[in-house]
């Protein structure tokens, strides 16, 4: 089955700086890669996703890049703000996003004011 | 839309007791997932349904766990008998088509 590794497990950045979280996956058939943000006491919330036919996708301060050859994808957050503090999870699946997402172990991001 | 609704939010029970967790997916979503989250193991998929039919239950830890989806708007996850190692946050999520998952707020289960 799919295996997703995520690094780093914790990340602290100064407010206004950029944050990068990286994930690698094992199944070359995987074609859908979402990112989730989990705030304390809440369920994970989808913030951005990318499919295998695209190399990069941006949504305001958030971007995701995908390298299918190397089987890794990354989340980039620019101009970080205190409300970006949360746990971020990457995930992967070989379906169109409906089935059996395999999650990374999470990155706790802390934004230092 | 009210989102995915889970109940109860918190459950404290004694070892050996039966526990039932409930989930109402978003109307129109045809996939429903149950996940368990712990510090040690992260987010683990337990079981998922498509159109109320269980598709993959390979993540269910053992026979003490069972899940049902009697109709499109309701699912349960039951643990009988419960054990301290079952303590975790249990999430339900639903999706439709090619959209991403929508998670509920979770049920924090503590077995003492």
């Amino acid at each position: 089955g799919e295996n997703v590794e995520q690094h780093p497990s914790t990340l602290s950045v100064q407010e206004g700086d950029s944050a990068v979280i990286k994930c690698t996956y094992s199944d070359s058939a995987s074609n859908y890669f979402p990112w989730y943000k989990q705030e304390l006491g809440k369920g994970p919330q989808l913030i951005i996703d990318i499919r295998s036919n695209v190399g990069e996708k941006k949504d305001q301060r958030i971007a995701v890049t995908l390298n299918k050859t190397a089987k890794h994808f990354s989340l980039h957050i620019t101009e970080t703000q205190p409300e970006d503090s949360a746990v971020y999870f990457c995930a992967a699946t070989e379906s169109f996003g409906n089935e059996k997402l395999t999650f990374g172990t999470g990155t706790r991001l802390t934004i230092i004011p | 839309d009210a989102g995915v609704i889970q109940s109860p939010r918190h459950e404290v029970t004694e070892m050996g007791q039966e526990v039932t967790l409930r989930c109402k997916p978003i109307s129109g979503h045809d996939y429903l997932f149950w996940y368990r989250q712990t510090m040690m193991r992260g987010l683990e998929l337990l079981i998922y349904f498509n159109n109320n039919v269980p598709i993959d239950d390979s993540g269910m830890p053992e026979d003490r766990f069972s899940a049902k989806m009697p109709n499109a708007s309701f699912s349960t996850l039951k643990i009988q008998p419960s054990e301290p190692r079952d303590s975790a946050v249990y999430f339900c999520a639903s999706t439709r088509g090619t959209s991403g998952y929508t998670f509920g707020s979770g049920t924090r289960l503590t077995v003492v």
Side-chain angles (χ1 to χ4, degrees), chain A residues 10-109:
Chain A
T10 61
L11 178 62
S12 295
V13 301
Q14 209 70 36
E15 181 178 353
D17 289 350
S18 296
V20 181
I21 302 170
K22 298 181 179 181
C23 289
T24 60
Y25 61 98
S26 60
D27 189 346
S28 57
S30 288
N31 57 21
Y32 175 67
F33 308 92
W35 285 88
Y36 287 82
K37 175 184 181 181
Q38 186 176 24
E39 297 175 326
L40 195 62
K42 297 184 179 180
Q45 180 182 14
L46 177 70
I47 56 172
I48 195 168
D49 56 12
I50 191 168
R51 300 190 188 277
S52 59
N53 58 343
V54 175
E56 182 176 2
K57 183 177 179 180
K58 295 181 74 171
D59 182 3
Q60 300 182 333
R61 298 186 295 107
I62 294 174
V64 57
T65 59
L66 171 65
N67 183 327
K68 285 219 71 178
T69 303
K71 290 191 284 188
H72 66 70
F73 55 113
S74 300
L75 177 71
H76 304 253
I77 306 174
T78 59
E79 301 173 12
T80 54
Q81 301 170 3
E83 54 264 37
D84 295 330
S85 294
V87 179
Y88 292 81
F89 292 93
C90 61
T93 183
E94 66 176 279
S95 80
F96 288 109
N98 293 340
E99 301 176 18
K100 296 190 68 170
L101 278 176
T102 299
F103 284 86
T105 49
T107 296
R108 182 173 298 278
L109 174 63

Side-chain angles (χ1 to χ4, degrees), chain B residues 21-66:
Chain B
L21 311 180
R22 297 172 175 80
C23 175
K24 176 179 169 55
I26 291 174
S27 176
H29 283 191
D30 54 355
Y31 284 84
L32 183 139
F33 307 82
W34 283 100
Y35 278 84
R36 178 171 67 177
Q37 185 175 38
T38 62
M39 288 295 293
M40 292 298 296
R41 301 175 69 89
L43 277 162
E44 301 175 277
L45 177 64
L46 300 177
I47 184 170
Y48 78 95
F49 296 83
N50 178 218
N51 292 321
N52 313 337
V53 176
I55 303 300
D56 186 344
D57 65 355
S58 60
M60 296 286 260
E62 48 198 275
D63 292 345
R64 298 184 298 106
F65 285 69
S66 63

